[in-house]
Amino acid sequence: MTDMTRNPVAATVRETTDAEFAADVLSAGPPVLVQFTAVWCGPCRQLKPVLAALAAEEEGRLRVVEIDVDRNPATTARYGVLATPTLLVFQDGEPVKSLVGARPKRKLREELADVLD
């Protein structure tokens, strides 16, 4: 069984919407990593298993959610997202870090080290 077929890992990345964003992200306890994604975005698909693995490994310390930019234009516009994938890290309801583009898990962990400490 590969990581791609294991649903428990994939289930750790929650999909959010414009309507649920405040509850899922802004009022969450631990830091939240939000991937702004789209179904047509190849790099977003590449990043999906990386985020699922990170979410599983950091459960309790970091929440990972994704939001589709085409179906949720209000949140996308509110945070000035112009490219996919864009990753925003929220702490205490505020964006504290922005990353654009896909990257391997090792590189993403390095870039998130200050948030995870």
Side-chain angles (χ1 to χ4, degrees), residues 29-107:
V32 181
L33 174 64
V34 180
Q35 178 190 18
F36 288 81
T37 186
V39 295
W40 45 263
C41 172
C44 299
R45 287 191 299 274
Q46 290 177 322
L47 197 52
K48 197 170 190 99
V50 170
L51 294 179
L54 185 67
E57 292 168 10
E58 297 298 334
E59 190 172 355
R61 292 183 359 137
L62 178 73
R63 291 189 65 216
V64 180
V65 301
E66 63 180 30
I67 186 165
D68 186 290
V69 298
D70 293 324
R71 291 182 294 168
N72 300 282
T75 302
T76 302
R78 181 180 313 127
Y79 293 102
V81 173
L82 301 174
T84 56
T86 290
L87 304 173
L88 291 181
V89 178
F90 288 80
Q91 281 185 303
D92 301 320
E94 296 295 323
V96 296
K97 185 176 288 273
S98 176
L99 307 166
V100 178
R103 60 227 331 116
K105 186 171 71 167
R106 179 190 53 74
K107 175 85 169 137

